[in-house]
Amino acid sequence: MDKKLNKLYQSTILEHGHDPKNFGRLDKYDQFAEGFNPLCGDKVNIYCKYNFNLKLEITFESVSCVICTASASLMTTELEGNSKDKAIALIDEVLDGLHCSTLDQKTLPKQITMLDGVKEFPSRIQCAALPWATTRKAITEHETRPE
């Protein structure tokens, strides 16, 4: 495998892409957002609620490539249990890092920096960013549960 591709599909990405964490719909959720990338067809649904301690519970469903699925899985494991403000700050930091190709220069959890490999493939940046942007939308725009 080419060196750039090898970096992109590191074992952490493959693990989370093929066996995602927090996959599925929460039985009860307060916030929901749907994200879609028309360029590649990735679709992600984000389900959020805050428990009695105002700590985030988050899950996702997706029909997407390995990069998008892995990004969503990594994201949910990192955001789980955070306050709204901390979650938004982390989301903004990751989105900035993805779009500016500086993810590896940020002080983020190591597994999140694994997404840095997408910078070598500009068309894949949106695949990695979609779950993060969709979650930000769910948290900040307070979309309520669809009936």
Side-chain angles (χ1 to χ4, degrees):
M1 186 183 286
D2 156 294
K3 191 175 179 181
K4 288 180 181 179
L5 277 176
N6 192 29
K7 184 176 180 186
L8 179 62
Y9 291 101
Q10 292 174 29
S11 62
T12 301
I13 301 299
L14 291 174
E15 175 188 327
H16 281 270
H18 293 300
D19 186 22
K21 313 302 181 247
N22 303 306
F23 188 87
R25 182 186 308 206
L26 286 171
D27 289 334
K28 294 181 181 180
Y29 57 91
D30 304 314
Q31 297 160 308
F32 165 83
E34 180 178 276
F36 180 68
N37 181 351
L39 297 176
C40 67
D42 286 345
K43 179 181 176 185
V44 64
N45 292 332
I46 302 292
Y47 306 95
C48 301
K49 76 174 183 176
Y50 286 91
N51 65 23
F52 63 93
N53 291 326
L54 296 178
K55 301 294 182 184
L56 180 65
E57 292 181 49
I58 181 171
T59 63
F60 75 100
E61 293 177 317
S62 70
V63 177
S64 60
C65 68
V66 170
I67 300 289
C68 184
T69 301
S71 184
S73 177
L74 290 164
M75 176 194 69
T76 60
T77 61
E78 290 300 325
L79 293 181
E80 187 82 24
N82 280 310
S83 68
K84 179 179 178 177
D85 290 340
K86 283 182 101 174
I88 290 170
L90 180 58
I91 290 167
D92 288 347
E93 189 80 3
V94 171
L95 287 172
D96 179 66
L98 286 168
H99 292 298
C100 297
S101 299
T102 58
L103 204 57
D104 61 336
Q105 299 167 19
K106 298 193 176 284
T107 44
L108 295 167
K110 183 172 176 28
Q111 67 176 7
I112 297 300
T113 62
M114 299 289 182
L115 295 170
D116 186 60
V118 299
K119 71 183 177 190
E120 301 293 333
F121 304 91
S123 65
R124 304 300 252 155
I125 291 170
Q126 188 55 36
C127 299
L130 182 64
W132 297 87
T134 305
T135 300
R136 191 179 202 299
K137 180 179 174 185
I139 293 171
T140 60
E141 294 182 14
H142 305 290
E143 291 188 28
T144 55
R145 181 183 182 134
E147 298 301 323

